[in-house]
Amino acid sequence: MNFKIVNPYTGKEIAAYPVNSTEDISDALDRADKYFTFQRRHTFDQRAQQLGEIAKAFHDNAEVLAKTATENMGKRYTEALAEANAAGNIAQYYADNGPKALTPKPYTYLGDKQAQMQYESTGIVFAIEPWNFPYTQVMRVFAPNFLLGNPVILKHAPIVAGCADQFEKTVYSVMHAHGGFQNLFLTNDQAAAIIADDRVQGVALTGSTKAGRIVASEAAQALTKTTLELGGNDAFVVLPDADIDQAVADGAISRLRNAGQVCTSAKRYIVTEANADEFVTKMKTTFEQQVLGDPMADDTTIGPMSSERARDQLQLQVDTAVEHGAEILVDGGAQKDRDGFFFKPMLLGNLKPDNPMYDAEFFGPVGQVHIAKDTDEAIQVANDTQYGLAGAVYSQDLDEAKRVADQLITGQIFLNQPSNGYPELPFGGVKSSGYGREMSDQALYEFANKKMIARG
């Protein structure tokens, strides 16, 4: 069995990677376990130095990494180049800041007795990662766990097998003890077998809510800890006094970057009646001006979607929404009369709670407009979702923006800026968007043994 790589721009197969055998998996687990034992003799500072070298390797290899992502999943080259460098930045963040964050924490008990909690590695971490950000999503798991001393085994999405291979090669260009990071091409059944192995002490998944439930259930049978970064239906709340030009510009970038295939993008524009007409008019113009084309070309603003399946699934969602009363504000949709898996951006309105697509995640360049009569109703609509990953609030009154943000049930909120991921900031969600945190110092603690030692 092979994982076939199809270029989303041409629709042509460009490579194939064989699925790993049972023997390959056994050998990988053995190597990772030996590396785990070996690394316990080394310090955080020693691993930080090597992680800095890995960061440099990602920056040095950024053009090759970017071209591979463009060919594997259709990301515009400029976005792919930024992502490759962002992966290097994440590694550098942990190289610079990780050892300090892992300093033992002192405690006092029984009045004057001393204790400390120290952070140690726990074992193999199994990373199951998605195609939409094929480098940064992996680095979010690899970098903090490498610093901690946990070996990482990667199962990447099959359509970006080439990116997985390039990630491993870039790491190996610096790290010669290969047990610390290993990429395997795996089926779902093989992944389940790895999760069940008692040497695996953590499973980190980024993917759909459905996939998260399956993996969490499998890990629970082995009493293995999980972190889950799942789907989102993020609210982009525009209050009555917002700067509409800024909100439109940021909202369009947030919804349309990476061809709309972003968990934390602005999926629902929730706008108060006071400025709805101006917002909708300007957003319609912005959506209509997008240029579909070659993801390697500088003038392209929307590349192809990652696969034919992704394009067709998005069209089915749009059709279902419209059949149940949604209004088409900007027409577009699947472009089946041309090569490649293109989807022309669409803007929908009038999605009511009884619409089966009301709380569905549209994973592509489709925006929704919800008009609220006032701020209180905007908060209610924003929270009327099973998801809680990210969001944004726009207002020229920062105190009011913060008041609204405090009432939104989600993992992260950005004020007067679109949601994004930064190495310095914790990243993760609540409700059906998952649990656990990536990035920042918080990622270092997810799969750490917080060992307490008390003096008598």
Side-chain angles (χ1 to χ4, degrees), residues 147-323:
L147 187 71
L148 193 61
N150 291 331
V152 172
I153 292 176
L154 170 66
K155 177 193 183 300
H156 220 325
I159 68 171
V160 290
C163 297
D165 186 44
Q166 282 295 332
F167 191 103
E168 184 180 58
K169 288 177 178 176
T170 305
V171 171
Y172 282 4
S173 71
V174 173
M175 187 177 73
H176 303 297
H178 290 185
F181 178 81
Q182 298 174 89
N183 168 58
L184 296 176
F185 301 118
L186 303 170
T187 66
N188 290 339
D189 288 343
Q190 289 174 320
I194 290 178
I195 292 171
D197 192 288
D198 60 10
R199 292 167 292 184
V200 175
Q201 293 297 302
V203 180
L205 176 137
T206 296
S208 68
T209 300
K210 178 181 177 181
R213 291 191 175 104
I214 293 170
V215 168
S217 177
E218 291 170 346
Q221 298 303 310
L223 290 180
T224 299
K225 184 177 181 180
T226 55
T227 59
L228 304 176
E229 194 269 278
L230 308 178
N233 199 9
D234 295 351
F236 188 93
V237 180
V238 183
L239 299 182
D241 70 334
D243 181 329
I244 296 301
D245 287 337
Q246 180 190 1
V248 168
D250 289 355
I253 290 172
S254 180
R255 175 68 284 214
L256 299 177
R257 71 188 181 102
N258 201 27
Q261 300 164 123
V262 183
C263 296
T264 58
S265 67
K267 300 197 174 70
R268 296 179 295 147
Y269 301 127
I270 302 172
V271 192
T272 55
E273 287 180 349
N275 46 25
D277 288 345
E278 181 183 3
F279 180 89
V280 171
T281 297
K282 291 181 175 180
M283 189 62 78
K284 286 170 65 175
T285 298
T286 303
F287 268 55
E288 290 166 347
Q289 290 173 342
Q290 300 304 306
V291 178
L292 278 66
D294 183 349
M296 294 296 294
D298 291 340
D299 59 350
T300 295
T301 62
I302 300 285
M305 294 190 66
S306 62
S307 67
E308 184 176 24
R309 178 183 177 185
R311 181 200 66 189
D312 293 348
Q313 173 62 27
L314 184 61
Q315 185 64 59
L316 178 61
Q317 288 181 296
V318 169
D319 292 343
T320 302
V322 172
E323 288 170 5

Side-chain angles (χ1 to χ4, degrees), residues 42-52 90-105 117-120 143-149 440-445 448:
H42 294 77
T43 67
F44 298 137
D45 286 332
Q46 289 172 317
R47 287 192 288 272
Q49 180 178 352
Q50 192 170 43
L51 191 56
I90 294 170
Q92 191 63 56
Y93 168 81
Y94 286 103
D96 293 340
N97 300 281
K100 181 179 179 181
L102 293 171
T103 300
K105 182 178 180 179
M117 182 176 69
Q118 61 193 42
Y119 302 98
E120 297 182 358
N145 282 289
F146 174 80
L147 187 71
L148 193 61
S440 79
D441 61 327
Q442 297 301 306
L444 291 162
Y445 310 136

